[in-house]
């Protein structure tokens, strides 16, 4: 299968890329990125401007899209800018993929995703899930982690603190509140892409520990 991966330079996305390049059933990984990735014989990593996606690029015609794209409110700088990256970009990518016949889409969403939520972050993830469901994918999967665990270069103070606390009290917590390792999330996303099961599926945080 040809896998289109967005967010390949991120924590979860880089795990997806490693797993996909080691998986015999994946013949090619297409990873549109903002900055160059190391070369690999089965990797095509075009540098793109996410504000002006190349609508007619032949590589849109993949077998599945995995989307691990996202930013933080702090990096984005405003709610509008955050919404643009976490909602508008995935939807624009999904629309183009559908136009090129892609049957399956897997979104790295988040626990609590709900377009009716009073929390902005949960609302954005909920809006993205809601709008993806209107695009007619044969197979659509929302993977909803809680706190993502892994080596992150960027220092995020809130996440660091939460990680320390969850490591300490994790075993006493219900499974859905435990840390979800990035590699585990990536494996669930790749599994969903390879399975291409018809319909809409949710992979909850409790399944990602
Ligand atoms: N952090 C958590 O604990 C947590 C919990 C639940 C859900 N999530 C969600 O899980 C997803 C993946 O998280 P992660 O921690 O793997 O993310 P990450 O490490 O921050 O990586 C984000 C990816 O999105 C790309 N990206 C960010 N802003 C962009 C922009 N303006 N234009 C184009 N590409 C952009 C980054 O590319 P560059 O390398 O070019 O910046 C990178 O590839 C996100 O949607 C996040 O909201 C996170």
């Amino acid at each position: 299968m040809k896998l289109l991966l967005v967010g390949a330079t991120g924590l979860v996305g880089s795990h997806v890329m490693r797993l996909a390049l080691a998986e015999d059933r994946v013949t090619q990984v297409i990873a549109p990125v903002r900055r160059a990735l190391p070369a690999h014989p089965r990797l095509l990593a075009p540098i793109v401007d996410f504000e002006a996606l190349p609508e007619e690029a032949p590589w849109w015609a993949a077998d599945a899209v995995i989307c691990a794209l996202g930013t933080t409110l702090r990096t984005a700088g405003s709610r509008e800018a955050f919404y643009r990256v976490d909602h508008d970009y995935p939807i624009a990518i999904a629309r183009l993929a559908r136009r090129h016949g892609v049957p399956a889409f897997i979104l790295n969403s988040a626990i609590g995703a709900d377009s009716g939520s009073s929390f902005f972050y949960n609302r954005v993830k909920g809006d993205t899930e809601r709008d993806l469901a209107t695009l007619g994918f044969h197979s659509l999967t929302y993977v909803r982690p809680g706190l993502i665990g892994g080596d992150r270069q960027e220092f995020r103070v809130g996440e660091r603190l939460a990680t320390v606390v969850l490591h300490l009290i994790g075993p006493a917590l219900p499974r859905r509140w435990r840390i979800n390792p990035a590699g585990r999330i990536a494996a669930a996303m790749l599994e969903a892409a390879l399975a291409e099961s018809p319909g809409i599926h949710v992979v909850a945080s409790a399944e990602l520990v």
Side-chain angles (χ1 to χ4, degrees):
M1 67 138 23
K2 280 189 188 175
L3 176 69
L4 180 56
L5 169 64
V6 283
T9 51
L11 178 55
V12 172
S14 58
H15 279 271
V16 173
M17 195 171 67
R18 261 196 301 278
L19 290 175
L21 290 174
E23 167 61 61
D24 288 344
R25 288 171 290 172
V26 178
T27 51
Q28 190 179 32
V29 177
I30 301 123
V33 280
R34 298 195 287 184
R35 51 195 170 95
L37 284 172
H40 184 285
R42 283 193 286 135
L43 175 67
L44 175 67
I47 305 284
V48 302
D49 175 357
F50 284 78
E51 288 291 330
L53 289 165
E55 299 192 1
E56 298 310 326
W59 45 254
W60 287 108
D63 298 297
V65 176
I66 288 182
C67 178
L69 196 90
T71 187
T72 59
L73 255 176
R74 190 192 170 99
T75 304
S78 69
R79 285 186 168 202
E80 291 70 25
F82 179 85
Y83 199 90
R84 182 124 193 91
V85 175
D86 273 62
H87 171 275
D88 297 357
Y89 286 3
I91 297 301
I93 287 155
R95 278 188 207 287
L96 283 169
R98 275 305 297 139
R99 200 193 294 168
H100 289 261
V102 180
F105 194 100
I106 299 93
L107 175 73
N108 189 156
S109 183
I111 191 172
D114 174 5
S115 50
S117 174
S118 48
F119 295 105
F120 175 69
Y121 181 80
N122 293 359
R123 218 160 50 232
V124 177
K125 295 297 185 190
D127 283 4
T128 309
E129 291 189 359
R130 178 200 62 202
D131 294 345
L132 278 173
T134 67
L135 299 180
F137 284 102
H138 168 74
S139 176
L140 180 58
T141 304
Y142 309 137
V143 177
R144 293 182 181 159
L147 184 66
I148 299 176
D151 287 334
R152 192 183 289 289
Q153 276 162 11
E154 182 192 347
F155 184 71
R156 297 179 184 173
V157 69
E159 285 183 24
R160 282 280 172 96
L161 281 173
T163 302
V164 171
V165 172
L166 287 184
H167 266 305
L168 288 173
I169 62 168
L173 287 173
R175 287 172 71 84
R176 70 178 183 283
W177 293 115
R178 295 189 196 159
I179 291 173
N180 296 140
R184 182 70 196 86
I185 299 164
M189 295 182 90
L190 185 57
E191 224 171 88
L194 289 163
E196 233 186 77
S197 308
I200 297 183
H201 311 275
V202 173
V203 181
S205 58
E207 301 168 63
L208 299 166
V209 290

